[in-house]
Amino acid sequence: MNLSADPEWENRDRLVFSKAHGGYGLYAILADLGYLKQDDWQTFYNGSFLSGCIERSEKHAIEASCGSLGHGLPMAAGMAFGAKLQKKGYRVYCIVGDGEMQEGSNWESIQFAVKYELTNLTVIVDHNKLQAMDYLDDVLTIKGRKDDLQKKFRAFGFATGSCRGHHIREMASSIQRIIGLGKARKKPQVIIADTIKGYGLLCMENIPKFHFRLPSGDELKMGTRYE
Ligand SMILES: [Mg+2]
């Protein structure tokens, strides 16, 4: 992303983090970038502006309040459209969950993005096959058709690709490639990132209950497998 030390720099690239309950990961990165102070964590969940679902704070580079889900992508499409109208060069990235892709608001904004050839919009789907406390297959996805998301996006007119979501280099190169393709074909883009919820903590991986709860000391002893 094209960023500067000033989080409110007008021409910065935007990130809309639609799956807002995963904001802890975003906060850690914003702290690494210097947009949050390391001690902002001290009051986390205890009066802090860092809430369980992210809330907009431009001075901290948090671009949009999200959660309820299904609203980040419409906002991101609007930002990308605004950039296009104003002939600004910034790009808009939007990270969505695979569960929230069931929501109709997303498919309205996808049609909008295609109609207005928003080549400056890149969507990344965290495809962990879980939504809240259950598996996609048990909620609304037809069993055995977990790979339908890419087909759906392509049918609506997006440039599409996929990657292993825990391989950062592969993800970065996939995003670069799909942006190039989108520019050439005048299409917004999406990368479906294949992920495992709770990746790296052996007690937590792919177990729905950890959507809300913390691991116990004994569970943490099961170890990690970060690459
Ligand atoms: Mg999910």
Side-chain angles (χ1 to χ4, degrees):
M1 292 177 66
N2 188 24
L3 302 170
S4 82
D6 175 8
E8 296 181 274
W9 176 45
E10 189 178 349
N11 293 320
R12 70 192 182 280
D13 286 348
R14 273 70 165 167
L15 170 69
V16 176
F17 195 84
S18 187
K19 49 166 299 170
H21 50 288
Y24 320 143
L26 176 66
Y27 299 151
I29 291 167
L30 293 177
D32 281 349
L33 290 172
Y35 294 147
L36 294 180
K37 295 188 194 121
Q38 292 294 341
D39 63 5
D40 283 337
W41 293 100
Q42 299 305 317
T43 54
F44 180 62
Y45 247 101
N46 188 19
S48 171
F49 65 95
L50 301 175
S51 52
C53 279
I54 62 168
E55 291 183 19
R56 182 169 187 261
S57 177
E58 270 194 313
K59 65 182 178 181
H60 298 104
I62 301 173
E63 301 283 353
S65 300
C66 293
S68 294
L69 301 191
H71 300 117
L73 183 50
M75 285 189 273
M79 291 177 190
F81 187 54
K84 187 167 180 175
L85 286 180
Q86 296 174 71
K87 302 194 186 324
K88 299 277 188 185
Y90 65 80
R91 302 192 57 76
V92 184
Y93 297 87
C94 183
I95 298 176
V96 297
D98 50 4
E100 68 171 318
M101 287 313 299
Q102 295 163 354
E103 305 221 24
S105 49
N106 285 318
W107 298 100
E108 292 173 36
S109 59
I110 286 166
Q111 292 174 85
F112 178 87
V114 171
K115 161 84 175 169
Y116 291 101
E117 297 180 343
L118 301 182
T119 57
N120 57 346
L121 175 65
T122 304
V123 182
I124 300 155
V125 181
D126 177 9
H127 192 24
N128 58 18
K129 298 90 183 169
L130 274 159
Q131 62 183 100
M133 302 295 280
D134 209 344
Y135 299 92
L136 294 188
D137 265 6
D138 294 333
V139 184
L140 206 54
T141 300
I142 297 170
K143 282 195 190 301
R145 285 172 50 179
K146 290 176 182 171
D147 296 331
D148 269 9
L149 266 176
Q150 195 173 169
K151 291 181 193 164
K152 287 175 183 167
F153 269 99
R154 193 181 301 135
F156 274 70
F158 266 55
T160 70
S162 61
C163 71
R164 292 176 292 176
H166 300 296
H167 291 250
I168 300 303
R169 283 196 190 130
E170 181 176 318
M171 174 166 272
S173 65
S174 298
I175 291 170
Q176 286 298 324
R177 185 185 59 77
I178 205 69
I179 288 174
L181 196 64
K183 283 180 179 169
R185 297 184 182 172
K186 293 197 163 123
K187 292 179 173 185
Q189 315 94 44
V190 65
I191 289 286
I192 311 294
D194 189 27
T195 58
I196 298 166
K197 190 158 180 159
Y199 175 78
L201 280 175
L202 292 176
C203 64
M204 191 183 288
E205 287 189 350
N206 207 31
I207 298 175
K209 67 182 178 183
F210 281 107
H211 190 71
F212 282 114
R213 68 179 282 264
L214 298 171
S216 67
D218 281 344
E219 286 167 337
L220 283 173
K221 287 177 188 163
M222 292 171 66
T224 65
R225 66 173 189 109
Y226 296 114
E227 292 177 8

